[in-house]
Amino acid sequence: MINKVVENAEVAVRDIPDNAVLMLGGFGLSGIPENCINAILKKGIKGLTCISNNAGVDDFGIGLLLKSRQVKKMISSYVGENAEFERQLLSGELEVELIPQGTLAERCRAGGAGIPAFFTPAGYGTEVAEGKEVREFDGKKYLMEHWLKADFSIVKAWKGDTSGNLIYRGTARNFNPMMAAAGKITIAEVEELVSPGELDPNHIHTPGIYVQRIFQGKNYEKRIEQKTITKAS
Amino acid sequence: MLDKIGIAKRIAQEVRDGMYINLGIGIPTLVANYIPKALNVVLQSENGLLGIGPFPTEENVDADLINAGKQTITMMPGSSLFSSAESFGMIRGGHVDLTILGAMEVSEAGDIANWKVPGKMVKGMGGAMDLVASAKNIIVAMQHCSKDGASKLLKQCTLPITGLKCVKKIVTDLAVLDVIPEGGFKLLERAPGVSVDEIRKATEGKLIVSGEIPEIKF
């Protein structure tokens, strides 16, 4: 099997240049590539375009890269939990493109699957439709949306093997599989890295063909945004 | 008048056995607490889960299991997990039977505005535009009027639109109304202690009242 293992996050992100277009997996703070975000922060590259459903919080996730002014543009569906984000947006330091969540997911999927455009009803009749081709199918109006691709896709999985096969856990899967397929170079960080044969092929979510670099991450914080509990009776 | 829990309880009466349901953030999330136990329904979370269970106990909190509002959750037996693309595929494909969400404004044509207020920080539409564009049946939970008394059931929405001609039913603190295909809010039920006249005054859009309007029963 092809060995794609790199030593750590620093090595995995070593050649990401200024002004790169990145996809970063995760929904809220769940399933985000914590190790790579920290390595990008340390590396100090600037002018990044980040495609990610959310923008982290002030002191965690992509919020860290916003604080250090490394992000030029965010492409997201919801960015509501971040005060520094709001400040930079209002002052014009940060560009933002907001995309309906399902359209964002499908644009990433299309990028990885070689589909340049598709039609979706989401956003028809709204400001999202401005400048987009509208077409009618069976009496209903749809917008044409284009694929999204990234110079580097950075994803987080639960388990992976040395040839890049990935398994996600719970709702931490979210955008990770589509983004893994839509990167020219895809970096996967995993909680547990195993040898080929240790993962059941029946259970693989992302086949290794999409992944160029993989490493076992460390010190996962896996922060929770809204801890909500039921009192034990 | 109904409080938030009253609105949630009334919407729960619309739930039928065997439904797959997507609940939005806020009052819609509360609806889950009032669905009769005898009904078998499956709740969808658009970040990639069918089968949302109750909030976890302290020792069962899991960072890898959250709902679309980013709250920690559990899974019911028989749940399934999937990607965001698959999740919105099932939404767009019309496989979800009922969508319950909040709104800032609804028009008499069934247009909904619930994502953006000019002059305020734009947080994003999240999955709202996808949901309203594709759902077969949308029930809106909302306050009938704003805090300063202005109607939120309008001839035309004034805020940026989330989706056109999609709302089927509205449950407010004052009333239950259907949005009818030819346009207009058809009054079905009154909240306890609220008169038809009060509802008429609170509704800027076309209100259709025919016959006796019963009070909501719980």
Side-chain angles (χ1 to χ4, degrees):
Chain A
M1 297 298 284
I2 305 168
N3 189 336
K4 298 174 181 174
V5 177
V6 294
E7 196 186 337
N8 55 33
E10 284 70 31
V11 179
V13 306
R14 65 188 181 273
D15 54 352
I16 299 181
D18 286 346
N19 304 310
V21 176
L22 308 183
M23 283 187 184
L24 296 122
F27 180 93
L29 300 178
S30 188
I32 61 171
E34 294 181 22
N35 279 226
C36 283
I37 290 171
N38 287 326
I40 291 168
L41 182 69
K42 212 156 91 183
K43 192 169 152 61
I45 39 176
K46 296 216 175 340
L48 299 171
T49 295
C50 292
I51 304 169
S52 173
N53 188 56
N54 310 95
V57 294
D58 278 330
D59 60 344
F60 198 59
I62 294 174
L64 295 169
L65 304 179
L66 289 164
K67 211 179 213 170
S68 58
R69 313 281 184 89
Q70 290 172 263
V71 181
K72 178 179 67 183
K73 183 174 182 182
M74 280 302 310
I75 299 178
S76 304
S77 88
Y78 189 83
V79 292
E81 330 290 353
N82 193 313
E84 174 63 14
F85 182 99
E86 180 168 0
R87 195 199 61 73
Q88 289 186 21
L89 181 62
L90 295 174
S91 68
E93 292 162 66
L94 181 69
E95 244 182 282
V96 179
E97 187 179 339
L98 291 168
I99 299 178
Q101 196 174 135
T103 300
L104 178 62
E106 194 62 15
R107 287 179 67 185
C108 295
R109 199 191 75 79
I115 297 169
F118 58 92
F119 287 89
T120 175
Y124 171 72
T126 76
E127 62 188 60
V128 167
E130 281 165 23
K132 289 177 184 158
E133 182 181 336
V134 174
R135 217 185 279 184
E136 191 173 312
F137 297 92
D138 294 339
K140 185 168 169 169
K141 301 277 203 337
Y142 295 80
L143 298 182
M144 186 164 76
E145 295 282 0
H146 291 92
W147 58 10
L148 280 172
K149 298 183 196 188
D151 298 323
F152 290 83
S153 280
I154 305 173
V155 302
K156 153 82 196 323
W158 179 40
K159 290 181 181 180
D161 68 21
T162 54
S163 51
N165 294 304
L166 304 177
I167 296 177
Y168 307 96
R169 184 172 175 278
T171 53
R173 190 181 321 182
N174 54 65
F175 283 80
N176 283 297
M178 297 81 75
M179 289 182 169
K184 280 180 209 145
I185 293 177
T186 291
I187 300 165
E189 56 175 84
V190 298
E191 289 177 54
E192 191 184 345
L193 184 64
V194 301
S195 300
E198 287 187 48
L199 301 178
D200 182 343
N202 288 297
H203 295 164
I204 302 294
H205 296 130
T206 292
I209 190 169
Y210 299 121
V211 175
Q212 280 69 46
R213 300 172 191 171
I214 189 166
F215 66 95
Q216 181 165 309
K218 56 185 180 196
N219 305 326
Y220 280 106
E221 193 176 327
K222 297 179 77 166
R223 206 186 283 189
I224 292 169
E225 264 176 272
Q226 308 271 351
K227 186 166 141 187
T228 314
I229 58 169
T230 305
K231 291 264 179 288
S233 51
Chain B
M1 293 231 311
L2 298 181
D3 58 8
K4 286 178 180 180
I5 289 171
I7 294 173
K9 281 183 174 169
R10 178 59 190 81
I11 292 176
Q13 295 177 5
E14 300 295 316
V15 172
R16 299 288 173 267
D17 194 45
M19 276 184 167
Y20 289 87
I21 305 171
N22 182 288
L23 301 175
I25 294 160
I27 299 175
T29 304
L30 296 175
V31 173
N33 301 335
Y34 304 103
I35 297 172
K37 295 279 177 284
L39 300 185
N40 289 303
V41 299
V42 177
L43 303 180
Q44 200 239 20
S45 191
E46 63 262 28
N47 52 326
L49 167 65
L50 277 171
I52 305 173
F55 295 125
T57 54
E58 181 72 46
E59 60 275 19
N60 287 322
V61 166
D62 183 345
D64 292 338
L65 267 186
I66 60 169
N67 64 17
K70 286 129 190 165
Q71 295 170 306
T72 46
I73 49 166
T74 59
M75 293 188 284
M76 298 298 285
S79 287
S80 56
L81 293 157
F82 35 83
S83 72
S84 303
E86 177 92 45
S87 180
F88 282 94
M90 65 183 69
I91 289 167
R92 214 183 289 109
H95 304 279
V96 176
D97 300 299
L98 178 61
T99 296
I100 301 168
L101 40 80
M104 301 179 206
E105 294 176 350
V106 174
S107 83
E108 62 187 34
D111 302 346
I112 181 170
N114 71 351
W115 77 282
K116 183 177 179 182
V117 179
K120 283 199 183 166
M121 163 71 180
V122 180
K123 295 185 169 189
M125 65 292 279
M129 286 189 183
D130 309 271
L131 281 159
V132 301
S134 300
K136 287 184 283 193
N137 190 8
I138 299 178
I139 302 179
V140 166
M142 66 190 293
Q143 302 300 317
H144 212 102
C145 297
S146 64
K147 287 196 182 80
D148 56 11
S151 178
K152 297 165 122 190
L153 277 62
L154 305 171
K155 286 186 175 36
Q156 279 191 322
C157 293
T158 62
L159 295 170
I161 293 288
T162 309
L164 297 176
K165 293 186 176 145
C166 52
V167 177
K168 299 282 191 294
K169 190 180 284 289
I170 305 167
V171 178
T172 75
D173 49 337
L174 303 184
V176 182
L177 313 102
D178 269 353
V179 179
I180 60 171
E182 50 274 39
F185 302 106
K186 186 173 192 323
L187 183 58
L188 302 178
E189 297 170 28
R190 298 174 289 121
V194 176
S195 70
V196 170
D197 214 39
E198 285 171 277
I199 295 165
R200 202 187 302 276
K201 279 187 190 131
T203 308
E204 189 230 71
K206 183 177 169 191
L207 186 75
I208 298 153
V209 183
S210 81
E212 278 297 298
I213 305 298
E215 265 193 13
I216 294 169
K217 286 192 187 67
F218 291 106

